[in-house]
Amino acid sequence: MKVIILAAGIGSRLGKPHPKALTLLSNGRSIMQNQIKALLRYVSIDDITVVVGFKKELIMEAFPELLFVYNDYFDTTNTSKSLLRGLKKARGHDVIWINGDVVFDHVVLDRLIREKHSCMAVNTAVVGEEEVKYTMHENGYIAEVSKQVESPVGEAVGINKVSQEDAALLLEMLEQCGDMDYFEKAIETAIPNGMNVVPVDISDVICTEIDFEEDLMRVNELLGK
């Protein structure tokens, strides 16, 4: 199992002077420190690669023991191109990838690892209008995933797994994505080409992307409890 953390973005909506992954939480750890602590329950430090871009030296200095891939077009590309760079370094393995602004309970990782297929952590308790949403086939696999799907059954939370068998197809779809596409575009185009993606419900545990100050306040409140 390999892990990729996508932390190249500017994070302009949160408005911090540093990468979002370095934002401090109420438990005294940064978002990425929180992620690494959870990940080390399941993988070695050598199995974690971080895709960096905006103020990359701050993340690299904070985590000198990690492996890094640089997205030199971080200001003109989106997560599809960051994931593409990371996946090229993890060929031949199952890969979990995580947005660098997600605060989550380690249980989320356990559930994804136990699923043998490619899968996506999802929240079925809330479906935000601006969030990436999904629909399902009758066979239990995800049918569509984007911000525009109609009649969604839940939302994606920014933590996913691609099996070794599906990795080549996902890479191909990532190559075809436009520069400003989210990685979910590659998943959606891979599905009709044979990639089965299982939704893994994590609605009962902490798992939240920090896009705005309100998200940060809500997560800190949950961590305090």
Side-chain angles (χ1 to χ4, degrees):
M1 178 71 64
K2 299 291 183 181
V3 176
I4 299 168
I5 300 175
L6 305 179
I10 296 172
S12 56
R13 291 181 294 182
L14 190 60
K16 301 294 184 183
H18 49 70
K20 270 201 291 185
L22 299 182
T23 301
L24 283 178
L25 302 169
S26 60
N27 60 12
R29 295 188 289 267
S30 70
I31 293 175
M32 188 170 290
Q33 283 177 320
N34 215 63
Q35 293 179 337
I36 299 300
K37 185 174 186 293
L39 286 164
L40 291 180
R41 288 172 173 260
Y42 304 99
V43 299
S44 160
I45 194 74
D46 296 329
D47 294 321
I48 303 171
T49 297
V50 184
V51 183
V52 291
F54 175 65
K55 295 189 177 180
K56 64 182 187 301
E57 65 282 353
L58 296 181
I59 295 179
M60 296 172 75
E61 289 171 4
F63 301 94
E65 70 278 20
L66 295 178
L67 302 172
F68 296 94
V69 174
Y70 180 42
N71 178 359
D72 48 340
Y73 294 102
F74 66 88
D75 54 345
T76 58
T77 60
N78 214 322
T79 56
S80 63
K81 299 309 178 185
S82 286
L83 179 58
L84 175 63
R85 284 167 168 77
L87 273 184
K88 285 182 175 178
K89 300 295 184 181
R91 297 176 191 269
H93 300 273
D94 288 357
V95 179
I96 288 177
W97 76 90
I98 301 168
N99 283 336
D101 60 356
V102 184
V103 179
F104 60 90
D105 189 292
H106 75 88
V107 172
V108 175
L109 299 171
D110 182 63
R111 292 179 187 176
L112 266 65
I113 290 170
R114 289 175 182 272
E115 173 56 56
K116 63 181 181 180
H117 296 93
S118 296
C119 54
M120 174 184 294
V122 299
N123 189 334
T124 59
V126 294
V127 185
E129 187 174 341
E130 292 299 315
E131 303 303 322
V132 174
K133 300 171 280 291
Y134 73 98
T135 60
M136 287 178 60
H137 287 299
E138 292 181 356
N139 61 12
Y141 296 119
I142 290 176
E144 302 171 291
V145 54
S146 75
K147 290 188 175 184
Q148 291 79 37
V149 298
E150 297 182 3
S151 302
V153 294
E155 65 181 38
V157 297
I159 305 179
N160 307 268
K161 184 181 81 174
V162 62
S163 68
Q164 180 180 341
E165 293 75 18
D166 291 332
L169 175 59
L170 184 60
L171 275 170
E172 181 183 349
M173 297 301 104
L174 289 166
E175 292 274 13
Q176 295 178 17
C177 282
D179 285 347
M180 294 309 295
D181 284 333
Y182 292 95
F183 61 69
E184 285 88 359
K185 177 69 174 180
I187 296 174
E188 187 168 46
T189 54
I191 287 170
N193 284 285
M195 181 173 166
N196 292 323
V197 182
V198 177
V200 176
D201 196 346
I202 51 76
S203 306
D204 58 320
V205 296
I206 294 176
C207 189
T208 303
E209 284 192 280
I210 308 300
D211 290 324
F212 301 99
E213 190 66 34
E214 308 89 83
D215 300 326
L216 183 59
M217 292 173 61
R218 185 170 65 254
V219 162
N220 281 334
E221 183 180 350
L222 289 171
L223 290 173
K225 293 178 181 179

